[in-house]
C-alpha cells in the first residue's frame, strides 16, 4: 500500500531541500508532464534533482501545489526564469512583468542585480545595465546610494557609465565609504580599482592624490601606456550633439557629432509607432530629449527606427524616472523676478524639464518671473509640466540655467545662489536672431559653450561662459543626395541637441557602415 502511495508521488530535490507532490498535480506543468510520459530515469525513480534559487523555487512550488504565489522583488526575476524553464503559462510571467515594472525602484537594485543574466526573461543584464549607466549620476545623488552593500557599489562602478568625468566615480565611492567609515574603509582599496585613471584629467588626478582617505588606503593608481590602455572605454566620451533633419514620408536623418562637432554617424531612420516606450530598453536604444526638455525621441540604432513621445507619454516617462530614482522627494521651488512690473504677473501654461548632470529641473518662465523647482517632486510634474505656446527656450550647463525669451532676452540663472541672474547682451547677433528660427543647447557639464543654431542657415553661434564672449562656430553643410525622381533631398532641421549614446551603439553603427 505504501509502495503504491509512493509511486503516485514525485520527490523533487532542489539544492538542499526536498519536496513531495502528487504526480497528478505536477503533470499540469509541461516540463514534468513530458518527463513522466517519456519514461525517463526520473519517472522510474520518482525523483528529480534541480538547481534553482531556493526562495523562487519555493514560490513556484506553492503556485503549482496550492495555486497561490507571493511575488517579491528579491525573487520575481528568478520566478520567471523557473516558470519559463518549466513551460508554465505565460499568464504568470505576464503578472510578474506587471509587478516588476509597477514597483521597480533603485532601492531594489541590490536584490535585482544578482538575479539577472544575459538571457533572463523579465529583464536581462544588458537592459538593466543600460538603465544604470544612463542614470548613474542621478542614482548616486540619492540617499539610497549610501546604503547599498559593497557588492552593488562594485557592480555599478565597473559598468560603462555615462559620466562627464572619472572623478565622479571616485567621488561617489568616497561618499559611500565615508558615510560609514569604520566599517567600510577596508573596501576602499578594491573599489578604487574601478576608477579608470587613464581617462582622468591631470587636475582631477592631482585632486584625488591629495585626498586623505586615498593616501591612507595605500593604493597607487597605475596609468596604462597611451598606445595600450587596458582600462576599458573612455566613459566620459558618451555625450554627443545630435542633429535631426525631417525628410519626406516621416523619415528622419540623424547625425551624431562629437564634442568638437566632428561627424560620427549620418543615417536615415524610419518612424515606427510600435516601438515600446517602457523606461527600460535595450543597449542599442537611446532616448534623446530636445526642445528644452519638452519633447523626446526614442531611437533604435539596430533597427534604424524611431518613435516620438507625445506630451502624455513624455510626462509618464518623467514620472516613472522620478518614481524609480527620486521617489517622493521634498519639493524645493525658487522664484525670481526678472522684469519690473506694476501689475499682476502673467502666467504661461508652458514649462520645461531640463536634465542636469545630477538631477532634473522643472522650470517655467512667465512674463515677469522665472521659476525653478530645484527638487522636482512627482506631484510637481503632475501639476506643472504642461505644454503650450513656446515663449522661451532653456538649457543647463554646470550650475547655471540659460534662458532665451521670445523677446530675445538672454538670462543666466545661478542655481546655487537662489537663481541670482545676469542679463546677457546678444551684441551683434541681436538683429540676426529670430526666436522662432533658433535652437538652444549645451552640454550638461564640463564645457564653456552655450550654443545657438539658426534652423534655416544652420549657422552655429556660441556664447563662451568663461570669457563672456560671443563667437561664430561655423555652418553645418549637408551633402545633398538625390531621391528616385532626381530631385535633391529636402530636409528641415528639427533639432540640434545634446544627448547620451552608449559606446556600444556608436560602435554598432560604425561597424554596420563598413559593411554597407
Amino acid at each position: 500500500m505504501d509502495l503504491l502511495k509512493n509511486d503516485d508521488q514525485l520527490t523533487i530535490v532542489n539544492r538542499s531541500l526536498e519536496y513531495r507532490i502528487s504526480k497528478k498535480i505536477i503533470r499540469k506543468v509541461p516540463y514534468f508532464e513530458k518527463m513522466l510520459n517519456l519514461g525517463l530515469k526520473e519517472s522510474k525513480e520518482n525523483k528529480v534533482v534541480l538547481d534553482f534559487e531556493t526562495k523562487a523555487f519555493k514560490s513556484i512550488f506553492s503556485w503549482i501545489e496550492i495555486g497561490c504565489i507571493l511575488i517579491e522583488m528579491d525573487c520575481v526575476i528568478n520566478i520567471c526564469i523557473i516558470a519559463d524553464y518549466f513551460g508554465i503559462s505565460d499568464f504568470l510571467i505576464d503578472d510578474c512583468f506587471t509587478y516588476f515594472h509597477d514597483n521597480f525602484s533603485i532601492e531594489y537594485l541590490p536584490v535585482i542585480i544578482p538575479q539577472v543574466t544575459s538571457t533572463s526573461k523579465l529583464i536581462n543584464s544588458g537592459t538593466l545595465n543600460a538603465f544604470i549607466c544612463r542614470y548613474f549620476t542621478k542614482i548616486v545623488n540619492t540617499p539610497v546610494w549610501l546604503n547599498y552593500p559593497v557588492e552593488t557599489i562594485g557592480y555599478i562602478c565597473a559598468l560603462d557609465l555615462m559620466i562627464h568625468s572619472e572623478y565622479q566615480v571616485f567621488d561617489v565611492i568616497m561618499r559611500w565609504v565615508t558615510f560609514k567609515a569604520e566599517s567600510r574603509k577596508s573596501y576602499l582599496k578594491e573599489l578604487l580599482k574601478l576608477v579608470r585613471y587613464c581617462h582622468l584629467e591631470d587636475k582631477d588626478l592631482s585632486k584625488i592624490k591629495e585626498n586623505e582617505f586615498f593616501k591612507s588606503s595605500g593604493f597607487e593608481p597605475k596609468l596604462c601606456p597611451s598606445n595600450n590602455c587596458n582600462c576599458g572605454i573612455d566613459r566620459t566620451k558618451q555625450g554627443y550633439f545630435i542633429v535631426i533633419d525631417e525628410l519626406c514620408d516621416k523619415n528622419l536623418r540623424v547625425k551624431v557629432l562629437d564634442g568638437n562637432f566632428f561627424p560620427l554617424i549620418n543615417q536615415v531612420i524610419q518612424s515606427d509607432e510600435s516601438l515600446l516606450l517602457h523606461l527600460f530598453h535595450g543597449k542599442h536604444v537611446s532616448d534623446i530629449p530636445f526642445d528644452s526638455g519638452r519633447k523626446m525621441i526614442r531611437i533604435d540604432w539596430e533597427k534604424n527606427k524611431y518613435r516620438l513621445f507625445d506630451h502624455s507619454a513624455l510626462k509618464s516617462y518623467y514620472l516613472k524616472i522620478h518614481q524609480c530614482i527620486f521617489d517622493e522627494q521634498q519639493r524645493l521651488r525658487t522664484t525670481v523676478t526678472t522684469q519690473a512690473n506694476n501689475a499682476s504677473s502673467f502666467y504661461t501654461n508652458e514649462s520645461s524639464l531640463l536634465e542636469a548632470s545630477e538631477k532634473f529641473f522643472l522650470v517655467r518662465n512667465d512674463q515677469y518671473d522665472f521659476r525653478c523647482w530645484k527638487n522636482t517632486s512627482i506631484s510637481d510634474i503632475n501639476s506643472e509640466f504642461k505644454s503650450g505656446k513656446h515663449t522661451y527656450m532653456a538649457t543647463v550647463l554646470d550650475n547655471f540655467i540659460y534662458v532665451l525669451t521670445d523677446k530675445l532676452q538672454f538670462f543666466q540663472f545661478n542655481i546655487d545662489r537662489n537663481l541670482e541672474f545676469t542679463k546677457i547682451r546678444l551684441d551683434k547677433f541681436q538683429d540676426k536672431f529670430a526666436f522662432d528660427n533658433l535652437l538652444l543647447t549645451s552640454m550638461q557639464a564640463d564645457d564653456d559653450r552655450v550654443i545657438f543654431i539658426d534652423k534655416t542657415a544652420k549657422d552655429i553661434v556660441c556664447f563662451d561662459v568663461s570669457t563672456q564672449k560671443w563667437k561664430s562656430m561655423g555652418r553645418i553643410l549637408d551633402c545633398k543626395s538625390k531621391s528616385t525622381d532626381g530631385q535633391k533631398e529636402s530636409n528641415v532641421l528639427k533639432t540640434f541637441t545634446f544627448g547620451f549614446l552608449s559606446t556600444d551603439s556608436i560602435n554598432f553603427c560604425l561597424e554596420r557602415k563598413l559593411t554597407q
Side-chain angles (χ1 to χ4, degrees), residues 394-452:
T395 188
V396 178
L397 174 57
D398 290 320
N399 297 320
F400 296 90
I401 299 174
Y402 295 87
V403 175
L404 181 73
T405 72
D406 57 356
K407 306 298 183 185
L408 294 183
Q409 295 174 316
F410 186 38
F411 294 95
Q412 178 193 65
F413 296 93
N414 190 322
I415 298 168
D416 294 336
R417 294 187 177 181
N418 291 320
L419 299 185
E420 178 181 291
F421 70 92
T422 302
K423 190 173 180 180
I424 302 170
R425 293 174 56 88
L426 297 180
D427 293 343
K428 63 181 180 180
F429 297 105
Q430 180 77 45
D431 296 330
K432 294 183 179 181
F433 283 168
F435 179 80
D436 292 334
N437 202 43
L438 283 176
L439 297 170
L440 173 67
T441 191
S442 67
M443 292 184 174
Q444 291 178 5
D446 292 343
D447 196 34
D448 53 13
R449 300 167 298 176
V450 178
I451 299 166
F452 295 78

Side-chain angles (χ1 to χ4, degrees), residues 461-513:
V461 173
C462 149
F463 176 72
D464 190 311
V465 300
S466 299
T467 64
Q468 298 288 294
K469 301 289 185 181
W470 291 89
K471 64 179 178 180
S472 175
M473 300 189 67
R475 175 177 294 177
I476 301 173
L477 295 179
D478 296 311
C479 178
K480 298 284 188 178
S481 60
K482 291 186 177 181
S483 60
T484 54
D485 60 3
Q487 298 297 313
K488 287 186 176 180
E489 182 183 84
S490 175
N491 52 22
V492 177
L493 182 59
K494 185 177 185 67
T495 189
F496 185 116
T497 190
F498 177 81
F500 288 101
L501 277 69
S502 69
T503 299
D504 281 339
S505 295
I506 294 290
N507 289 340
F508 177 85
C509 293
L510 294 177
E511 289 170 8
R512 181 170 58 189
K513 181 181 177 182

